[in-house]
Amino acid sequence: MRTIQVGSRKSKLALVQSEQVIHDLSDKSDRFAFAIRHIVTKGDRILNVTLSKVGGKGLFVKEIERALLDGAIDFAVHSMKDMPAELPGGLEIASIPMREDACDVLLTRSGDGLDSLEPGAIVGTSSLRRGAQLLSLRPDLNVQPLRGNVDTRIGRLKSGDFDAIILAAAGMKRLGVHEKNHPLAFDEMLPAVGQGALAIECRSSDAELKALLQTINDPDTEITVRAERALLKRLNGSCQVPIAALCKRRADTKLELTGLVASVDGKEVFKTRRIGENPEELGVEAAEELLHQGAGTVLKRLGSDPNAR
């Protein structure tokens, strides 16, 4: 019996996600055993600085990818929204299980929704994407950085540090957190590329493992995420710039991709919706439309030149 080493960050959410994947794989075959190896990433070590100021791409995956390339682990379960558009040579995303809820949710101290927040209310989020879209909706709010795990963020809300915070619905559901929240509609808050989906990454050369991982791949999730990531790649973006995208399969089986780029202050918002069949072509077309609208200027200001190769 082969024992497969699974690399995981030490956060509660990362471990829950890894354990769920192991459970699902165990149901598919009894020829493998699994062991989790904890890996601390740069994004985990630096908690007192906003992610956008830490710099670089793959803040939560680089050390894990190094362990994959070194053979210390066999696969890793990532949150897809943490994955850079470009992967190191020799690695691939071998499986994308069924997507969880992709929306963002608002939690407030009062328990009421966005309209209840007074002008100047302090809203916590570590995401430039969330902050930009929130300020586009409510420029009178005071968006402040907030990092840490889900429990930490909710604790700071309850202690009065913030009037409201924004979290991903998927993380709350996977952790079984049942705090009162208000889902933000996609036309108000478009999610991060791949939000709610998992990326299972392994070595391209490991044919046996790739065959196993494919047993829990969800084709619809895979094809829609591919479209979102094609947009991200064309924009030369990362999870640290205000880029958002969501792709859905329509009733006629075609793909519908909505993409967005915004300035950090929310004063400039570029948005497009495209329909197509090929996910990579659709993603590139949507990205080109955003650039035609002027989104490249915003991205360059943030050090993400869409024309850099």
Side-chain angles (χ1 to χ4, degrees):
M1 177 179 287
R2 176 182 173 184
T3 297
I4 295 173
Q5 300 293 327
V6 183
S8 175
R9 296 168 56 203
K10 295 172 68 174
S11 74
K12 186 186 297 185
L13 179 58
L15 291 170
V16 164
Q17 292 175 168
S18 295
E19 288 164 359
Q20 182 61 56
V21 167
I22 289 171
H23 176 272
D24 294 344
L25 290 173
S26 297
D27 285 345
K28 298 294 183 180
S29 175
D30 58 4
R31 297 190 299 110
F32 303 92
F34 301 89
I36 292 180
R37 177 173 176 179
H38 297 162
I39 299 175
V40 179
T41 69
K42 182 178 181 181
D44 297 312
R45 290 194 302 270
I46 304 175
L47 294 175
N48 60 343
V49 180
T50 58
L51 292 175
S52 59
K53 293 180 180 178
V54 176
K57 300 177 184 178
L59 295 173
F60 294 106
V61 303
K62 280 186 177 179
E63 288 86 348
I64 293 175
E65 289 180 331
R66 190 174 301 118
L68 277 169
L69 291 169
D70 291 344
I73 60 173
D74 296 307
F75 78 77
V77 181
H78 307 282
S79 292
M80 182 65 80
K81 65 189 179 80
D82 292 336
M83 296 296 287
E86 298 274 6
L87 301 183
L91 300 181
E92 64 181 76
I93 296 173
S95 180
I96 306 175
M98 186 176 290
R99 193 174 204 163
E100 180 53 273
D101 190 341
C103 82
D104 287 302
V105 296
L106 181 78
L107 287 74
T108 65
R109 270 198 292 155
S110 67
D112 297 320
L114 182 61
D115 292 342
S116 72
L117 294 176
E118 298 288 341
I122 301 173
V123 183
T125 174
S126 62
S127 164
L128 293 182
R129 172 192 60 82
R130 289 172 178 153
Q133 292 183 85
L134 183 64
L135 289 173
S136 177
L137 292 169
R138 290 284 308 270
D140 59 319
L141 296 176
N142 181 4
V143 176
Q144 292 294 322
L146 171 62
R147 292 195 56 199
N149 60 36
V150 170
D151 290 340
T152 297
R153 298 185 198 196
I154 292 174
R156 293 194 62 188
L157 171 68
K158 291 182 175 180
S159 70
D161 292 344
F162 299 91
D163 298 300
I165 61 174
I166 304 175
L167 299 173
M172 293 183 64
K173 289 183 177 183
R174 287 180 174 131
L175 288 170
V177 175
H178 301 293
E179 298 288 337
K180 183 177 181 181
N181 64 80
H182 300 269
L184 297 170
F186 291 132
D187 60 357
E188 295 178 318
M189 183 73 63
L190 202 63
V193 167
Q195 184 162 313
L198 300 178
I200 308 180
E201 187 179 24
C202 71
R203 289 182 293 279
S204 301
S205 60
D206 196 337
E208 179 184 52
L209 180 55
K210 288 197 297 181
L212 175 65
L213 295 175
Q214 266 295 302
T215 63
I216 61 170
N217 185 69
D218 181 67
D220 275 347
T221 300
E222 178 193 349
I223 199 168
T224 52
V225 168
R226 278 167 53 195
E228 295 168 24
R229 285 178 57 76
L231 176 145
L232 183 70
K233 183 176 180 179
R234 174 61 189 93
L235 296 177
N236 193 30
S238 73
C239 57
Q240 308 317 322
V241 293
I243 296 174
L246 181 66
C247 184
K248 294 185 175 181
R249 191 185 286 280
R250 302 180 352 150
D252 62 6
T253 75
K254 289 187 177 180
L255 301 174
E256 181 176 301
L257 174 63
T258 305
L260 175 147
V261 174
S263 60
V264 174
D265 59 10
K267 293 180 179 179
E268 299 171 89
V269 178
F270 306 95
K271 196 170 186 179
T272 186
R273 179 173 286 111
R274 307 282 293 196
I275 297 170
E277 296 181 350
N278 181 289
E280 281 75 24
E281 291 177 1
L282 182 60
V284 171
E285 288 172 5
E288 294 291 355
E289 171 60 25
L290 291 169
L291 294 174
H292 179 73
Q293 292 177 21
T297 302
V298 169
L299 296 173
K300 287 179 181 178
R301 287 204 301 263
L302 292 168
S304 183
D305 185 350
N307 294 315
R309 289 291 185 269

